[in-house]
Amino acid sequence: YRLPVVASESPEFRVLESEWGCPRTVADDNELAEALRAVLEDEEERRRLCDRAERFAERMNWDYVAERMVDTYWNVLERRRR
């Protein structure tokens, strides 16, 4: 849908925000109000969040997830060999 996402602060969302720039995470009501205002009033911020969310959605498919899982298994095997 290419919509900007504002989410409550959690470890999982913080990782997504640091890696992908989305969603915009907030810690409290004041930050929520500020983030929503920015998304509604600032076209550049809204476009930035939408673009990053779209790139994230394009990458998060089963091929990508499977590739990451295989990489993880190879890393585990490499560590066991040491």
Side-chain angles (χ1 to χ4, degrees):
Y1 297 107
R2 294 198 78 237
L3 296 174
V5 177
V6 175
S8 61
E9 189 172 281
S10 72
E12 294 80 13
F13 288 143
R14 279 286 180 201
V15 169
L16 290 176
E17 184 178 37
S18 67
E19 289 181 13
W20 293 93
C22 68
R24 167 94 185 269
T25 59
V26 296
D28 58 37
D29 293 345
N30 292 329
E31 283 187 25
L32 175 61
E34 180 183 318
L36 291 174
R37 189 176 307 109
V39 166
L40 293 172
E41 296 175 355
D42 185 343
E43 184 176 342
E44 187 176 320
E45 174 69 0
R46 185 171 54 251
R47 188 174 305 142
R48 182 187 72 79
L49 286 171
C50 289
D51 290 345
R52 290 182 177 188
E54 183 176 32
R55 281 188 298 220
F56 172 76
E58 288 171 354
R59 288 287 313 270
M60 283 298 154
N61 58 49
W62 284 113
D63 291 335
Y64 178 75
V65 171
E67 183 179 310
R68 288 190 65 177
M69 288 181 68
V70 168
D71 288 344
T72 299
Y73 291 142
W74 280 116
N75 287 333
V76 169
L77 286 171
E78 287 295 320
R79 286 186 201 146
R80 289 196 72 202
R81 291 180 184 158
R82 293 182 197 163

